[in-house]
């Protein structure tokens, strides 16, 4: 039987959650025996070509591209895991949610204390995805099957969740693995 | 001005013996004289009573009726109770806003009038109502607003707004109120004629332990909501170590839809004070406090007068009924607009001059209550029952009502029924019988026991009112077929969000989250999983909150989710097959960027 496939993506996150995935250390070898990594920054596969069992997503949605990637994952994965505080709650990027978008851009590109922008230009290339009015946690955009909090979630938690899912066992995270920091 | 401030603070604090436990009275009086309690005033109060600024400020900012900022000379507080909403109180508020040219929360530019909203003020059967300064104004309609404001401006005296007097003692000079009693049904316990002294004489003829035994034999249970056996509570306090003990009467009556204690205080204060004296004798307390909610301040002069009369008749004071050692007196402590002070440990804290946040229990008040001394807190109606038990005997009382719920119960009835008001009925009648009595047969639901109680549907109208089945502190809100049950639940959640003391996170934050999710459903943006989310959140808040408020505050949602699930489901969006959330609208989420950046989304 073909190995189940896992896809991952980082949206409005810092890749810290992906580092935590890698932090399972040598168990990554075992994982590679159990699953095949499909579309993921780990192997740089860009497009879905096959259906995946699990999609793991770090980061919330801050721009239109994030939304499309997420919708693509929803379409191609049986189970979606919202990984980490940015994915489950918006996290640090969501600090801008209390500030109107126009002010955010002005602060970031014009008035911020460390900004050097003599041309007074706010990046507006047609290639750049437009920013959403605020940062959304993933479950507000598509249906999410599992939420794993933490900033980042401990490697052991990620490992246990994947192993349980692959073996069709209930997930039972010990105290200390389910955390919000 | 500065000197004047200092003089006022010195006078006021001196009047209360510079006693920091009398902070409620000190703040109230300073505010009455200066309009508000400024930072400078707080510093001076702290200095005079040897407290700290933070403690004074804690009190000033905790209670809705106190303010650290100047307000108008007059404050109009329009009730936000759900029963008033049923009678279009929003139109009344809009009329006030228009007439005064300000919004709720603002003061007219001439500094004359401030407009505010407030939680239930116990006038649900004669609403929409408002408190204008201390004066209750009932049956307000938007066309009366103009003349109310005119009279207030012209006379500068809210009492002048009272044109027709209510019946009974409401018409006494000392009360002078337009409030009506609306007693629809008199029973044998509370509203039957009473001869002052009859219960005290019977109590004084036997030992305190025998008084407690009588109350136990009568199987009297507390009327404030929880239904704790009154005799047992008394016995705990009696057996507690120490010589100095207290009896506190809970007249905070803040549960929306409850107004029966107001009617007792107006029409049967002698019965109440008699009950307090008897209870004091039984537990060995010589000092009693009547904690009167700030909304009922208009009753205070009359109640003080009744206390005076009773002192003159030797029914209060030293050597009551001629019995050496039977000493008992009562002081009235006014509250200041905080529902949580009805919770017994919050009430005790308030009496001690602190914020009304409940405290951890145990130790229970019967061991360590007011001033850390053994204290019994009882509801107004419970104490009236106790007096009647002593007057007429335990057996007489016990044969009224049902097995676990002896005696009669006062029901305050409001909402969609033809005969709102106060009913004294024996425990044990069914909801259907009750509805027939009050003229609410076509109700789709009844909110039994107020927001913290339970909302039942027609299928449950055969259930019995009493501790065996459906307990109630008295609040009965009839909900007619024309109402949206979710509107009612939403109004109640707003109440709890407003009234949470904020001490524990589940209650402070959880209630806000429940309200938010409910609002989403009401706006037609709810998803099927929101119902599960709400159920889980309700359970969490109930299980992890510290006091009875948080332990019951999710009930408006939890009980309607259980009994009126269809009303929720009808408002939900169907789940989408492709797993996208129907509530997320990418176009809308991008519209601001489109405007600011002046280009269209990157095509995909
Ligand atoms: C939030 C909250 C508000 C309460 N409000 C009142 C009240 O207004 N009046 C009252 O008698 N009991 C109220 N209670 C119940 C009191 O804590 C206490 O149980 C009661 O006064 C005891 O008197 P009883 O045994 O005579 O009923 C409230 C409880 C909670 C948790
Ligand atoms: S449950 Fe609510 S009202 Fe009670 S102590 Fe906690 S925060 Fe205060």
């Amino acid at each position: 039987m073909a190995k189940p496939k896992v896809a991952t993506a980082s949206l409005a996150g810092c890749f810290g959650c992906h580092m935590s995935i890698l932090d399972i250390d040598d168990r990554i070898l075992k994982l590679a025996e159990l699953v095949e990594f499909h579309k993921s920054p780990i192997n740089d596969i860009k497009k879905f070509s096959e259906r995946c069992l699990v999609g793991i997503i770090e980061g919330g949605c801050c721009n239109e591209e994030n939304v499309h990637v997420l919708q693509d994952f929803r379409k191609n994965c049986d189970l979606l895991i919202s990984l980490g505080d940015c994915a489950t709650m918006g996290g640090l990027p969501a600090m801008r949610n209390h500030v109107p978008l126009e002010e955010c851009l002005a602060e970031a590109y014009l008035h911020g204390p460390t900004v050097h922008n003599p041309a007074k230009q706010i990046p507006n290339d047609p290639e750049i995805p437009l920013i959403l009015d605020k940062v959304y946690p993933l479950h507000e955009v598509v249906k999410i099957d599992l939420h794993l909090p933490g900033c980042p979630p401990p490697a052991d938690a990620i490992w246990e969740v994947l192993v349980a899912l692959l073996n069709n066992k209930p997930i039972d995270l010990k105290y200390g693995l389910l955390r919000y920091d | 001005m500065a000197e004047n401030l200092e003089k006022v603070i010195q006078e006021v604090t001196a009047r209360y013996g510079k006693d920091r436990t009398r902070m409620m009275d000190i703040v109230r009086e300073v505010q009455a004289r200066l309009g508000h309690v400024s930072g400078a005033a707080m510093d001076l109060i702290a200095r005079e009573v040897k407290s700290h600024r933070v403690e004074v400020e804690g009190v000033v900012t905790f209670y809705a009726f106190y303010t650290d900022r100047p307000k108008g000379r007059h404050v109009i507080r329009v009730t936000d109770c759900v029963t008033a909403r049923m009678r279009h109180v929003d139109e009344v508020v809009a009329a006030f806003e228009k007439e005064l040219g300000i919004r709720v929360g603002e003061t007219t530019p001439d500094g004359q009038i401030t407009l505010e909203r407030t939680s239930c003020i116990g006038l649900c059967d004669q609403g929409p109502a408002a408190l204008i300064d201390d004066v209750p104004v009932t049956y307000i309609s938007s066309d009366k607003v103009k003349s109310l404001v005119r009279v207030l401006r012209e006379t500068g005296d809210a009492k002048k707004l009272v044109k027709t007097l209510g019946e009974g003692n409401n018409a006494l000079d000392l009360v002078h109120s337009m409030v009506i009693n609306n007693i629809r049904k008199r029973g044998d316990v509370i509203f039957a004629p009473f001869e002052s002294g009859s219960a005290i004489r019977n109590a004084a003829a036997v030992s305190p332990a025998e008084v407690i035994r009588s109350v136990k034999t009568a199987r009297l249970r507390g009327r404030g909501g929880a239904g704790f056996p009154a005799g047992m509570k008394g016995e705990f306090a009696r057996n507690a170590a120490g010589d100095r003990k207290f009896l506190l009467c809970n007249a905070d009556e803040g549960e929306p839809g409850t107004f029966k204690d107001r009617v007792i205080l107006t029409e049967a204060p002698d019965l109440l004070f008699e009950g307090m004296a008897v209870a004091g004798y039984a537990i060995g307390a010589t000092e009693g406090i009547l904690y009167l909610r700030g909304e009922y301040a208009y009753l205070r002069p009359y109640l003080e007068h009744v206390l005076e009369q009773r002192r003159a008749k030797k029914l209060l004071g030293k050597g009551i009924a001629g019995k050496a050692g039977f000493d008992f007196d009562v002081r009235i402590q006014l509250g200041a607009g905080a529902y949580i002070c009805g919770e017994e440990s919050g009430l005790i804290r308030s009496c001690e001059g602190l914020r009304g946040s409940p405290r951890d229990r145990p130790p229970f008040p019967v061991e360590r209550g007011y001033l850390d001394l053994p204290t019994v807190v009882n509801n107004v109606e419970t104490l009236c029952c106790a007096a009647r038990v002593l007057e007429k005997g335990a057996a007489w009382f016990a044969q009224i009502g049902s097995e676990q719920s002896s005696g009669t119960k006062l029901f305050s009835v409001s909402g969609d029924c033809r005969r709102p008001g106060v009913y004294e009925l024996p425990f044990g009648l069914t909801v259907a019988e009750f509805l027939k009595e009050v003229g609410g047969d076509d109700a789709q639901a009844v909110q039994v026991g107020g927001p913290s109680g339970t909302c039942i549907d027609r299928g449950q109208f055969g259930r019995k009112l009493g501790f065996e089945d459906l307990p109630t502190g008295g609040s009965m809100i009839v909900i007619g077929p024309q109402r949206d049950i979710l509107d009612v639940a939403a109004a109640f959640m707003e109440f709890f969000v407003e009234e949470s003391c904020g001490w524990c996170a589940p209650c402070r934050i959880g209630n806000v989250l429940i309200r938010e999710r409910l609002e989403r459903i009401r706006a037609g943006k709810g998803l099927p999983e929101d119902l599960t989310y709400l159920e889980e959140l309700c359970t969490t808040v109930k299980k992890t909150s510290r006091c009875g408020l948080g332990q019951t505050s999710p009930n408006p949602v939890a009980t309607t989710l259980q009994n009126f699930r269809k009303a929720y489901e009808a408002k939900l969006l169907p789940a989408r097959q492709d797993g996208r959330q129907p509530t997320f609208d990418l176009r809308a989420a991008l519209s601001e960027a489109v405007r600011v950046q002046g280009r269209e989304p990157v095509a995909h």
Side-chain angles (χ1 to χ4, degrees):
Chain A
M1 207 173 82
K3 285 192 240 175
K5 297 186 179 53
V6 175
T8 75
S10 175
L11 307 181
C14 71
F15 269 94
C17 293
H18 271 78
M19 298 316 275
S20 205
I21 297 177
L22 297 179
D23 242 4
I24 59 177
D25 296 334
D26 53 349
R27 283 172 291 186
I28 195 107
L29 297 173
K30 216 165 177 181
L31 189 61
E33 277 172 27
L34 290 171
V35 302
E36 182 185 318
F37 273 89
H38 192 51
K39 177 179 155 78
S40 166
I42 297 173
N43 53 24
D44 217 19
I45 298 178
K46 300 272 196 253
K47 282 210 159 73
F48 279 108
S49 57
E50 287 168 284
R51 188 145 191 91
C52 294
L53 176 69
V54 183
I56 303 176
I57 301 175
E58 124 180 19
C61 287
C62 80
N63 64 28
E64 50 173 326
E65 193 218 3
N66 295 159
V67 173
H68 293 304
V69 171
L70 181 60
Q71 289 172 343
D72 204 23
F73 264 71
R74 181 71 274 178
K75 200 164 136 195
N76 289 287
C77 303
D78 293 348
L79 277 172
L80 281 193
I81 302 179
S82 190
L83 185 70
D85 287 351
C86 297
T88 56
M89 290 179 280
L92 272 186
M95 282 179 73
R96 79 161 163 97
N97 286 5
H98 301 281
V99 183
L101 183 61
E102 195 162 10
E103 277 176 46
C104 274
L105 290 171
E107 183 69 12
Y109 294 108
L110 304 178
H111 311 311
T114 59
V115 171
H116 177 71
N117 184 358
K120 300 253 171 275
Q121 256 185 0
I122 293 177
N124 201 10
D125 190 280
E127 291 280 300
I128 304 176
L130 283 180
I131 295 182
L132 305 179
D133 55 344
K134 58 176 190 169
V135 177
Y136 292 81
L138 303 184
H139 61 269
E140 290 189 8
V141 179
V142 302
K143 183 173 177 298
I144 294 292
D145 303 290
L146 286 167
H147 298 258
L148 188 55
C151 185
D156 288 342
I158 300 172
W159 171 253
E160 300 237 342
V161 167
L162 283 177
V163 169
L165 280 178
L166 292 169
N167 293 307
N168 223 350
K169 293 254 166 64
I171 298 167
D172 180 21
L173 289 182
K174 290 194 183 46
Y175 183 78
L177 289 188
L178 196 60
R179 45 190 263 192
Y180 293 84
D181 60 350
Chain B
M1 183 65 200
E3 228 180 18
N4 183 28
L5 175 71
E6 184 134 7
K7 191 163 149 277
V8 168
I9 303 287
Q10 273 176 0
E11 277 172 23
V12 174
T13 50
R15 187 204 308 272
Y16 294 101
K18 297 193 187 281
D19 179 356
R20 67 200 271 184
T21 70
R22 300 299 298 275
M23 193 65 77
M24 290 293 284
D25 303 284
I26 293 171
V27 168
R28 172 173 271 271
E29 206 165 312
V30 168
Q31 179 167 311
R33 288 179 63 172
L34 301 174
H36 70 292
V37 187
S38 64
M42 293 187 232
D43 281 330
L44 287 169
I45 293 172
R47 190 188 74 194
E48 291 301 312
V49 304
K50 299 204 167 45
S51 170
H52 303 281
R53 159 80 182 258
V54 65
E55 195 172 293
V56 184
E57 188 157 353
V59 169
V60 174
T61 52
F62 185 85
Y63 295 91
F65 288 3
Y66 297 153
T67 174
D68 56 354
R69 260 157 277 178
K71 284 192 185 173
R73 262 186 61 204
H74 306 285
V75 181
I76 300 176
R77 295 189 172 91
V78 185
T79 176
D80 199 15
C81 180
V82 72
T83 59
R85 291 190 186 191
M86 289 177 174
R87 298 188 192 193
H88 310 295
V89 69
D90 289 336
E91 288 167 19
V92 170
V93 172
F96 270 117
E97 288 185 328
K98 181 151 170 268
E99 189 57 31
L100 297 167
I102 54 172
R103 308 290 307 268
V104 170
E106 293 175 351
T107 302
T108 52
D110 60 1
Q112 285 297 309
I113 300 176
T114 300
L115 181 64
E116 293 183 353
R117 305 288 313 249
T118 188
S119 299
C120 178
I121 54 176
L123 297 165
C124 322
D125 58 336
Q126 44 205 296
L131 281 177
I132 302 188
D133 298 339
D134 278 348
V135 178
V137 180
T138 58
Y139 293 117
I140 307 179
S141 53
S142 32
D143 51 326
K144 284 190 198 157
V145 163
K146 214 180 187 77
S147 80
L148 287 176
V149 171
R150 183 172 44 78
V151 174
L152 192 60
R153 280 195 188 280
E154 278 171 9
T155 64
D157 180 3
K159 272 209 148 60
K160 294 280 187 322
L161 300 171
V162 180
K163 294 273 157 58
T164 26
L165 293 170
E167 86 282 39
N169 289 344
N170 291 299
L172 294 177
D173 273 352
L174 281 170
V175 182
H176 191 76
S177 171
M178 66 171 81
V179 172
I180 55 172
N181 294 322
N182 243 341
I183 302 174
R184 302 276 183 171
K185 195 101 190 177
R186 289 171 189 271
D188 293 337
V189 178
I190 306 295
F191 290 131
F194 177 72
E195 185 208 329
S196 283
S198 55
I200 283 181
R201 277 194 302 276
N202 289 351
V206 297
S207 72
E210 276 171 82
V211 172
I212 289 182
R213 196 172 313 136
S214 285
V215 174
K216 280 182 153 181
T217 311
R219 302 194 308 276
L220 173 60
R221 295 176 65 166
R223 301 314 202 220
F228 195 84
M232 197 191 291
K233 197 192 280 187
E235 192 161 56
F236 285 150
R238 168 148 203 89
N239 293 338
D243 297 332
R244 198 173 168 208
K245 296 173 185 175
F246 293 91
L247 177 84
L248 269 49
C249 172
N250 190 341
D252 196 50
E253 185 157 76
E255 185 83 31
T258 318
F259 45 87
K260 46 112 188 160
D261 292 343
R262 184 197 78 227
V263 179
I264 294 181
L265 293 163
T266 310
E267 292 303 322
D270 268 306
L271 184 65
L272 168 63
F273 292 137
E274 186 109 357
M276 287 182 77
V278 167
Y281 176 73
I283 65 174
T286 57
E287 295 159 84
I289 300 177
L290 172 67
Y291 189 89
L292 184 66
R293 69 184 305 211
E295 290 82 348
Y296 295 169
Y298 73 100
L299 288 170
R300 183 180 188 163
Y302 171 59
L303 293 171
E304 295 283 9
H305 168 75
V306 175
L307 287 173
E308 265 316 310
Q309 281 185 324
R310 294 183 67 84
R311 285 182 195 112
K313 288 191 212 150
K314 293 268 170 230
L315 296 173
L316 216 53
K318 287 209 178 308
I320 291 174
K323 180 162 178 152
F326 188 168
D327 305 337
F328 187 76
D329 213 324
V330 173
R331 86 167 163 92
I332 296 177
Q333 177 66 63
L334 267 183
Y339 164 65
I340 192 58
C341 291
E343 195 280 340
E344 58 181 10
S345 63
L347 181 139
I348 288 170
R349 284 225 166 145
S350 187
C351 288
E352 291 170 342
L354 300 169
R355 294 163 71 88
S357 303
R359 67 160 171 74
D360 288 337
R361 295 170 304 167
F364 289 96
V366 286
E367 287 188 338
R368 286 178 61 181
Y370 180 62
L371 306 179
D372 274 346
L373 297 166
T375 302
V376 163
V377 181
N378 272 134
N379 175 255
V380 171
E381 189 183 345
T382 314
L383 290 161
C384 290
C385 291
R388 202 63 93 169
V389 167
L390 265 292
E391 185 211 6
K392 296 222 169 170
W396 173 86
F397 188 87
Q399 47 90 29
I400 308 173
S402 65
E403 178 60 29
Q404 285 177 47
S405 317
S406 57
T408 61
K409 179 77 194 89
L410 292 194
F411 296 97
S412 6
V413 185
S414 58
D416 300 312
C417 60
R418 290 190 295 284
R419 293 180 291 279
V422 175
Y423 292 75
E424 182 179 357
L425 300 166
F427 268 121
L429 79 165
T430 66
V431 176
E433 286 162 348
F434 164 82
L435 284 172
K436 210 178 171 101
E437 183 83 39
V438 307
D441 321 59
D442 64 343
Q444 64 161 319
V446 182
Q447 186 75 30
V448 181
S452 67
T454 172
C455 185
I456 59 165
D457 61 2
R458 289 190 74 86
Q460 303 180 59
F461 285 0
R463 292 177 66 182
K464 287 197 163 102
L465 295 166
F467 298 110
E468 295 91 333
D469 186 6
L470 271 178
T472 169
S475 173
M476 300 290 281
I477 302 174
V478 183
I479 302 170
Q482 75 277 28
R483 306 283 169 204
D484 181 344
I485 213 84
L486 268 59
D487 288 350
V488 178
F492 289 154
M493 284 320 297
E494 248 168 73
F495 169 75
F496 286 124
V497 165
E498 186 60 36
E499 298 295 338
S500 163
C501 86
W503 195 90
C504 36
C507 171
R508 182 182 67 242
I509 301 166
N511 286 316
V512 174
L513 295 178
I514 294 174
R515 182 184 63 174
E516 263 180 24
R517 198 54 61 104
L518 179 62
E519 285 311 317
R520 191 190 294 181
I521 295 171
R522 288 176 72 218
K525 293 188 175 158
L527 299 170
E529 62 252 39
D530 286 336
L531 300 191
T532 326
Y533 168 88
L534 275 176
E535 274 165 347
E536 285 175 6
L537 190 54
C538 288
T539 308
T540 305
V541 172
K542 281 172 143 188
K543 274 200 182 147
T544 54
S545 287
R546 176 159 74 153
C547 85
L549 190 147
Q551 286 157 13
T552 57
S553 57
N555 280 350
V557 170
T559 64
T560 50
L561 262 176
Q562 201 173 10
N563 299 329
F564 296 89
R565 207 174 182 87
K566 287 214 171 72
Y568 285 84
E569 284 167 353
K571 289 205 158 70
L572 296 179
L573 289 169
R576 283 174 55 149
Q577 290 307 313
D578 59 7
R580 296 186 184 183
Q581 298 293 32
T583 41
F584 180 75
D585 178 352
L586 182 57
R587 275 270 12 137
L590 285 173
S591 62
E592 207 172 324
V594 168
R595 180 182 66 79
V596 175
Q597 303 235 272
R599 62 184 163 97
E600 284 302 299
V602 181
H604 262 74

